[in-house]
């Protein structure tokens, strides 16, 4: 997805198609691994149709929000690609549907799913504002979380923060 192509040449389909183009096999592998780990349980909980709708809407919204940021900050020569925004939305969804689930980082460090989402959000914010200028779209990852939150509130009537508070209420 490129802001110039979207805006000047009306290639609006790029909000959707950017999710299916990746930089390399490693990029595809880690997106698919995350979908395997977090997507299977979420898909079983909501069904395949709802999962697909969630994935595609959150991915497209992540691309659209990224377009707005790129456009209004003058970063028109970027090319956004990959499914990471949608994958981050799936991670968020997993944490909402399975808030007591524990993920073991490197197989050793137990982290509750909602805490993992919070840690990833901090990492992405830090990388965006204090990173080394890599070509990773950190804001698109964060927009994946935001798109998932919007989806839950608007479509499903679920308030993720309320679920997490109720889950860990003493």
């Amino acid at each position: 997805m490129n802001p110039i192509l979207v805006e000047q040449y009306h290639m609006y389909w790029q909000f959707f198609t950017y999710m299916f183009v990746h930089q390399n096999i490693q990029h595809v592998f880690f997106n698919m691994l995350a979908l395997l780990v977090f997507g299977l349980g979420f898909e079983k909980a909501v069904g395949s149709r709802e999962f697909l709708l969630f994935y595609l809407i959150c991915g497209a919204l992540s691309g659209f929000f990224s377009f707005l940021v790129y456009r209004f900050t003058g970063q028109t020569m970027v090319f956004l690609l990959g499914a990471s925004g949608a994958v981050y939305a799936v991670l968020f969804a997993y944490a909402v549907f399975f808030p007591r689930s524990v993920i073991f980082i490197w197989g050793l460090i137990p982290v509750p799913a909602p805490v993992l989402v919070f840690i990833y959000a901090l990492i992405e914010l830090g990388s965006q504002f204090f990173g080394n200028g890599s070509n990773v779209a950190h804001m698109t990852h964060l927009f994946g979380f935001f798109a998932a939150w919007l989806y839950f509130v608007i479509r499903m009537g679920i308030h993720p923060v309320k679920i997490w508070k109720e889950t860990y209420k003493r």
Side-chain angles (χ1 to χ4, degrees), residues 73-130:
T73 59
Q75 300 177 57
T76 56
M77 294 308 296
V78 299
F79 287 87
L80 183 65
L81 50 91
S84 300
V87 170
Y88 271 65
V90 170
L91 170 60
F92 188 92
Y94 180 86
V96 170
F97 271 76
F98 306 102
R100 290 207 177 272
S101 180
V102 175
I103 292 94
F104 286 84
I105 307 299
W106 300 302
L108 301 170
I109 305 166
V111 179
V115 174
L116 185 65
V117 166
F118 181 72
I119 290 169
Y120 267 103
L122 290 178
I123 289 169
E124 293 301 326
L125 278 170
S127 297
Q128 176 66 32
F129 296 110
F130 306 110

Side-chain angles (χ1 to χ4, degrees), residues 8-107:
Q8 291 182 4
Y9 298 100
H10 308 288
M11 295 181 175
Y12 302 117
W13 59 83
Q14 289 187 0
F15 295 132
F16 177 76
T17 58
Y18 85 96
M19 293 183 278
F20 301 101
V21 180
H22 289 75
Q23 183 175 4
N24 53 38
I25 195 72
Q26 180 183 357
H27 192 191
V28 173
F29 174 78
F30 284 110
N31 276 311
M32 296 304 104
L33 180 62
L35 280 178
L36 177 68
V37 172
F38 302 111
L40 278 178
F42 176 56
E43 181 184 9
K44 285 182 182 180
V46 299
S48 295
R49 278 195 180 127
E50 190 70 29
F51 176 83
L52 183 61
L53 184 66
F54 173 85
Y55 183 85
L56 294 176
I57 286 175
C58 289
L61 282 174
S62 297
F64 178 71
F65 294 142
S66 296
F67 164 78
L68 292 177
V69 168
Y70 293 145
R71 175 63 182 90
F72 292 108
T73 59
Q75 300 177 57
T76 56
M77 294 308 296
V78 299
F79 287 87
L80 183 65
L81 50 91
S84 300
V87 170
Y88 271 65
V90 170
L91 170 60
F92 188 92
Y94 180 86
V96 170
F97 271 76
F98 306 102
R100 290 207 177 272
S101 180
V102 175
I103 292 94
F104 286 84
I105 307 299
W106 300 302

